[in-house]
Amino acid sequence: MNEVPASGIAGQSDGETPARADASFAPIPSPNAGDLARLLMDIGAGDDRLIDMHVIEGRAERTAEWPTWVALDVVEAWKARGALRPWSHQVEALDAIASGNDVVLATGTGSGKSAPAWTPILSDLVNAEDSGRISQIRRRPTCLYISPTKALAADQMAHLCALLSAAPSDSALRQVHAVTADGDTPRETKDWARANADIIATNPDYLHYVMLPGHERWTRFLASLKYIVIDELHHWRGVVGAHISLVIRRLLRIAHRLGADPIMIMLSATIRDPEAVGEAMTSRPCIGVTNDGSPASDHQLFLWQGRLVPDEAEMDMSAFLKAVAGEETVVEAPMRRVSAQTEAASLTAAMIEKGANLLTFVRSRAGAESVAAQVRDQLSSRGSPLAGRVAAYRGGFLPEERRALESALRSGRLRAVATTSALELGLDISGLNATVTAGWPGTRASLWQQIGRAGRAGAGGVSVLVASDNPMDEYLVHHPDQIFAPVEANVIDATNPWVLAPHLCAAASEIPLSLERTDGEDLALFGASFPRLARQLADEGYLRERPAGWYWDATRQERAADLTDLRGGSGDVQIVDARTGAVIGTMDAGSADAHLFADAIYVHQGRTYHIVEYSPMMSAAPAKEARSGGGVPRERSAGTLAQPASDSFGGQPDAGTSSARPRPISYIAPPTPEEKQRIALVEEVRTPLRTRAKQHVSVSITSIDDTWTSDDGLVTWSFGSVDVSTRVTDYDLLRLPRLEFIRNIELHLPTHTLPTKAVWYELSPAAQVQLRGLGIGNEDLSGTLHAAEHTSIGLLPLLATCDRWDLGGLSTAEHDDTGLPTVFVHDAFRGGAGYASAGFENAGEWMRMVLSTLESCDCEDGCPRCVQSPKCGNGNEPLSKAGAIVLTRFLAERAPGA
């Protein structure tokens, strides 16, 4: 949700000013957008760092009158906060809500989405208070506000309370009770909220684990629920979005059972097809409001890359020693670009010295701390008193630390903050001149959210996008038309059985599942396939089937809500200092085996630790469908798509497979107590040693949903279900500074199997003959496929709303199932998330983007900007950039949509 006090509605002004008087807080003239643009031009004039600059045109303000149905007290409260007239999109959304429609308000940052969120419930509460009917007074309407983060919920509650306080002392608004209920809220406050609150702000996790399982205790609030506000809708996508969608559907189900029929108010950054995204989230039709009436000045976006510096690690030491000895010689060192974070820190320091207030966005918590430290160091080295006015903002802070930072940033006591996406999500921070984004943030929607933090309330702003060393960033900064293309579509598939199954258990524990209840509401909420999945859950002992429907088996030891992780993972491993018992960090379970194995060297915030003990999570492979022969049968046609050959739950065998009924896959794998409490014990050490793990990955094709073969029969593309098996096999012991190899040590860790979706292509024998004629011999084939796989993974997020870490891949010169050279790109989530599907549907465009990135990169043999991957389990070996160029040019002409 966006600002109430800073730019929520036309005519609003900002009120806080710095209060300190020492030298570091002396007033500095605030630069305008032109001043900062000239500074960046001067910095980039001497080298090739400045790639391009684009002006994002502003728009004129369009206002309207407050709707007549809005209570006068509410209008006066908004006016007291400076909101004299609403913007046109706010009125459009308000009128749609008043007509009883669900609404998705998808407009830019700073467009005042708070007004349509709060005005309906506040007007209803005023009218209920003014009514003489006892029933209305006793059953006041309620509103539930849901945000992705606790910080955003607290921020919105603070602004809502300020709005209520702006009402006259005798106004009914002074009697409105608004409160936050989440994991940080004291028990007494939550008890009070259940009995008295009109408006509650919470997050999906609290809903899933507390409010819905214990909905009987929240009956007063839920039975009167008239509005549900979902903030930052664009934030929810993929598997996590599917989880949140099912939590919302369970909430609606309980509300309907209690007699309420709430209106959904969904707030979002600009997204493609907001009506479809809203319906995917709630299973209900909705109206999209996208015509933004808020004012915006021109905004300048600079596309940037790191400066070139000598790579001293690759310097010819013999020539260097000759020079030191006084011999006449030329010491040459290859050049490299500094990282996006280092470059972003330099730009941030320069703009601070110019007087700017800004945010610098990075991708990780550690990155935020690192950039803030670099900025402080640079300012200190130049004797600037502003070094103390730079901080990092990230997840993991204590609530009081977070609040103090937010207050300091709003008041101007902080001049710059290096932050993760936490400050992308709607927190009210006004008066910013600029933003710096270190590395592509993952989606266009996120980029526009970050850019929109600068120059708010109609003022001009300046933003810099600094490219990281990866194929996507390299492609984007040299193809700015892709940056300015329409924003991505959010993919939310609530019917994914791996996501749906545990939520069916949770729903059954709240209210028994039924085909007939409320005119088939459960079918509408959970999809036509839910009865089949419910029967399977009953067979597995999670549910009990009765004539009236399916009930949660109350004799089970675990709670139904504990069967799933809303974030789509399998939990985190805590990293614990063996000497003090302090938790120094966490790591997701999927990465832990490769980084936290016994005797590994782990680096955390500049400190080096030795892993003393680690207990890996055991993983059982899912049951596979029976099949005959060595491969998977398929229908192939020249240049056409084949239809799916099996149902989504594996209930029917494919043509050509054994007729025996396959054992169903269990879609629930509840964590054991040991898995929930996994830790890695570490001890701090000083050592030049480092470790680098290697892993073995295999992909087994379990079914094919679609397939496409080029007209000449040389290349076949497929999309379907696969099992991805991964095991960390060994590691190399290395010595700094040049990562000198010492020895290799074998590891004995378990295999983890991930059932998911993948897109893959196969090269026929005739294709291999043609490629040999183009210079790709048998000895180069593995490196060619491997390099093409890396770059393909790096660029697929441009076509599917995801991050490269949401994907995985495998390339092999001869795959067990296909018998041919094959490259797979798969979703990194159980059951898939829709990303591989987007790759299959847009394969032609995908391969053209890969080819363009490879050809435009000025390295000779491959680098992180084109073919090297930070997540490669084989140490980026072998790789052939030249072969990948030839192969992707070949594929670009032989792919769906080519």
Side-chain angles (χ1 to χ4, degrees):
M1 188 177 296
N2 286 287
E3 309 62 44
V4 174
S7 59
I9 308 180
Q12 188 63 47
S13 61
D14 188 14
E16 291 188 275
T17 56
R20 294 283 296 273
D22 56 76
S24 68
F25 288 86
I28 301 174
S30 182
N32 59 37
D35 295 333
L36 294 177
R38 283 188 290 274
L39 171 67
L40 292 169
M41 289 287 199
D42 291 341
I43 293 173
D47 51 35
D48 65 348
R49 280 182 284 179
L50 174 55
I51 299 172
D52 207 347
M53 190 276 284
H54 291 261
V55 176
I56 303 168
E57 293 186 1
R59 60 177 176 267
E61 179 181 46
R62 289 181 290 109
T63 62
E65 297 295 333
W66 283 104
T68 56
W69 58 266
V70 178
L72 183 60
D73 281 11
V74 178
V75 173
E76 292 302 319
W78 282 116
K79 288 182 177 179
R81 297 290 293 164
L84 304 180
R85 287 167 58 87
W87 289 317
S88 56
H89 65 275
Q90 294 171 324
V91 173
E92 183 183 352
L94 286 170
D95 284 342
I97 294 166
S99 300
N101 297 294
D102 292 351
V103 169
V104 177
L105 178 56
T107 52
T109 308
S111 60
K113 292 186 276 284
S114 300
W118 298 134
T119 298
I121 182 61
L122 295 181
S123 289
D124 288 351
L125 288 169
V126 168
N127 293 334
E129 192 73 23
D130 292 342
S131 172
R133 297 175 59 185
I134 295 178
S135 61
Q136 283 195 319
I137 296 174
R138 288 183 174 175
R139 190 158 182 172
R140 291 158 61 89
T142 60
C143 173
L144 184 66
Y145 166 85
I146 305 168
S147 80
T149 64
K150 297 175 183 177
L152 180 54
D155 185 74
Q156 286 302 315
M157 281 294 99
H159 293 314
L160 175 60
C161 291
L163 176 66
L164 298 175
S165 298
S169 58
D170 60 347
S171 170
L173 290 178
R174 292 298 188 106
Q175 306 304 315
V176 172
H177 303 308
V179 68
T180 298
D182 57 32
D184 291 341
T185 306
R187 182 195 302 175
E188 297 79 7
T189 303
K190 287 183 277 197
D191 290 342
W192 182 91
R194 281 192 288 269
N196 301 285
D198 301 309
I199 301 171
I200 291 179
T202 190
N203 54 63
D205 303 88
Y206 190 79
L207 266 180
H208 172 68
Y209 289 109
V210 178
M211 191 176 286
L212 299 186
H215 62 88
E216 296 89 351
R217 302 181 67 195
W218 298 85
T219 296
R220 180 206 64 85
F221 183 85
L222 295 174
S224 301
L225 193 59
K226 187 167 182 182
Y227 304 100
I228 298 173
V229 179
I230 302 177
D231 207 351
E232 305 292 346
L233 177 66
H234 67 280
H235 183 73
W236 306 119
R237 62 182 189 266
V239 167
V240 178
H243 277 294
I244 304 308
S245 168
L246 288 163
V247 170
I248 298 300
R249 296 175 193 212
R250 286 162 46 206
L251 170 63
L252 289 171
R253 188 169 176 261
I254 291 172
H256 293 162
R257 173 70 172 265
L258 296 173
D261 188 16
I263 294 172
M264 305 297 304
I265 304 172
M266 292 167 275
L267 312 176
S268 175
T270 303
I271 51 175
R272 186 184 300 180
D273 199 357
E275 296 89 349
V277 176
E279 185 168 353
M281 177 60 66
T282 66
S283 79
R284 307 190 332 185
C286 60
I287 292 176
V289 176
T290 58
N291 198 359
D292 197 335
S294 62
S297 296
D298 290 351
H299 196 110
Q300 297 175 76
L301 174 61
F302 289 78
L303 304 182
W304 205 270
Q305 60 188 350
R307 64 187 180 278
L308 286 168
V309 296
D311 188 353
E312 297 177 359
E314 298 298 326
M315 185 181 296
D316 185 343
M317 292 303 297
S318 62
F320 175 77
L321 293 174
K322 288 180 182 178
V324 171
E327 296 184 31
E328 217 173 282
T329 184
V330 176
V331 179
E332 295 184 353
M335 304 297 285
R336 64 174 178 85
R337 294 199 182 275
V338 301
S339 71
Q341 290 185 9
T342 299
E343 188 68 25
S346 297
L347 293 174
T348 300
M351 285 193 276
I352 290 174
E353 291 186 302
K354 193 70 174 178
N357 289 340
L358 71 156
L359 295 177
T360 299
F361 291 96
V362 297
R363 297 300 302 274
S364 67
R365 296 179 179 185
E369 296 283 5
S370 174
V371 168
Q374 290 183 62
V375 174
R376 287 193 292 264
D377 289 346
Q378 291 183 34
L379 293 173
S380 296
S381 68
R382 297 197 281 266
S384 172
L386 299 174
R389 299 177 68 178
V390 178
Y393 184 104
R394 57 174 176 78
F397 284 151
L398 296 175
E400 55 269 24
E401 295 175 317
R402 191 169 60 237
R403 303 286 182 268
L405 280 170
E406 292 163 10
S407 174
L409 187 55
R410 289 194 193 98
S411 68
R413 295 193 302 274
L414 285 175
R415 300 306 298 264
V417 171
T419 178
T420 59
S421 60
L423 286 181
E424 174 190 318
L425 298 176
L427 292 184
D428 173 30
I429 301 164
S430 56
L432 297 176
N433 308 101
T435 64
V436 178
T437 298
W440 178 250
T443 65
R444 299 180 186 94
S446 290
L447 179 67
W448 298 131
Q449 281 286 93
Q450 294 179 5
I451 288 174
R453 307 306 269 164
R456 307 185 79 170
V462 170
S463 296
V464 186
L465 171 61
V466 185
S468 292
D469 279 339
N470 62 62
M472 178 181 288
D473 288 33
E474 173 76 6
Y475 180 82
L476 285 170
V477 295
H478 290 95
H479 296 81
D481 56 303
Q482 289 292 330
I483 295 176
F484 293 95
V487 294
E488 305 86 353
N490 275 23
V491 178
I492 299 175
D493 180 13
T495 65
N496 179 339
W498 296 96
V499 178
L500 179 58
H503 284 280
L504 288 180
C505 292
S509 73
E510 294 151 7
I511 303 169
L513 295 165
S514 170
L515 294 176
E516 289 78 27
R517 189 185 65 82
T518 320
D519 298 325
E521 179 186 31
D522 288 349
L523 281 171
L525 290 174
F526 302 126
S529 59
F530 105 77
R532 177 173 39 177
L533 190 52
R535 292 187 189 100
Q536 179 176 326
L537 293 170
D539 291 342
E540 294 174 359
Y542 292 102
L543 303 182
R544 290 184 178 273
E545 189 169 5
R546 297 287 184 265
W550 294 271
Y551 293 70
W552 169 249
D553 186 349
T555 65
R556 296 188 65 90
Q557 293 184 351
E558 73 270 48
R559 295 193 323 150
D562 294 333
L563 293 176
T564 189
D565 176 359
L566 293 188
R567 309 298 164 173
S570 52
D572 288 340
V573 177
Q574 291 189 322
I575 304 167
V576 179
D577 190 316
R579 182 177 60 85
T580 65
V583 177
I584 66 169
T586 61
M587 182 172 291
D588 65 279
S591 304
D593 280 9
H595 297 278
L596 301 178
F597 53 86
D599 287 332
I601 300 299
Y602 174 70
V603 180
H604 178 76
Q605 294 188 355
R607 295 184 175 183
T608 307
Y609 296 88
H610 168 238
I611 307 297
V612 178
E613 183 179 334
Y614 169 65
S615 298
M617 179 174 63
M618 303 304 290
S619 172
K624 288 188 180 181
E625 296 183 61
R627 65 175 184 243
S628 60
V632 177
R634 68 194 68 202
E635 278 185 56
R636 288 185 176 172
S637 56
T640 60
L641 296 176
Q643 296 303 310
S646 65
D647 64 59
S648 61
F649 295 124
Q652 299 294 329
D654 292 338
T657 64
S658 168
S659 61
R661 182 180 179 182
R663 178 185 174 187
I665 295 172
S666 178
Y667 294 108
I668 295 181
T672 66
E674 293 75 17
E675 291 170 357
K676 289 182 178 180
Q677 301 173 13
R678 295 174 64 208
I679 63 171
L681 290 177
V682 302
E683 59 183 3
E684 187 170 359
V685 295
R686 292 187 177 182
T687 177
L689 300 178
R690 294 294 183 266
T691 52
R692 183 168 61 200
K694 296 181 180 180
Q695 60 183 5
H696 174 75
V697 179
S698 63
V699 176
S700 299
I701 302 169
T702 58
S703 68
I704 296 175
D705 298 336
D706 288 320
T707 187
W708 183 98
T709 301
S710 60
D711 291 334
D712 56 14
L714 298 180
V715 180
T716 295
W717 291 77
S718 300
F719 167 73
S721 299
V722 297
D723 285 345
V724 181
S725 299
T726 306
R727 184 172 72 87
V728 176
T729 56
D730 58 290
Y731 70 93
D732 291 338
L733 186 64
L734 311 169
R735 179 183 287 114
L736 293 175
R738 299 175 65 88
L739 294 180
E740 174 189 355
F741 175 80
I742 299 175
R743 66 175 181 271
N744 177 269
I745 297 97
E746 185 178 1
L747 292 170
H748 301 280
L749 293 170
T751 297
H752 304 289
T753 300
L754 174 75
T756 187
K757 294 286 189 177
V759 55
W760 66 93
Y761 56 82
E762 309 157 25
L763 304 176
S764 69
Q768 297 173 57
V769 171
Q770 287 204 20
L771 289 172
R772 280 196 291 272
L774 296 172
I776 301 177
N778 291 338
E779 68 280 4
D780 299 319
L781 185 57
S782 293
T784 293
L785 298 172
H786 194 192
E789 172 212 334
H790 281 183
T791 312
S792 299
I793 291 173
L795 286 166
L796 182 54
L798 273 181
L799 300 172
T801 311
C802 67
D803 187 274
R804 72 179 298 161
W805 299 92
D806 295 332
L807 302 166
L810 173 75
S811 56
T812 175
E814 184 176 349
H815 188 260
D816 289 345
D817 288 335
T818 67
L820 298 169
T822 308
V823 173
F824 294 85
V825 175
H826 63 81
D827 297 349
F829 297 94
R830 289 197 306 171
Y835 309 142
S837 175
F840 178 79
E841 293 168 0
N842 301 279
E845 181 182 1
W846 184 19
M847 290 300 103
R848 289 190 292 272
M849 290 163 52
V850 171
L851 177 61
S852 176
T853 298
L854 292 170
E855 290 182 330
S856 63
C857 187
D858 54 10
C859 71
E860 292 185 8
D861 300 321
C863 69
R865 302 172 76 88
C866 55
V867 300
Q868 293 178 5
S869 169
K871 53 185 291 191
C872 181
N874 295 307
N876 284 300
E877 294 179 358
L879 293 174
S880 171
K881 177 184 175 181
I885 292 174
V886 173
L887 174 61
T888 51
R889 187 181 294 122
F890 184 81
L891 292 170
E893 300 171 354
R894 298 170 176 84

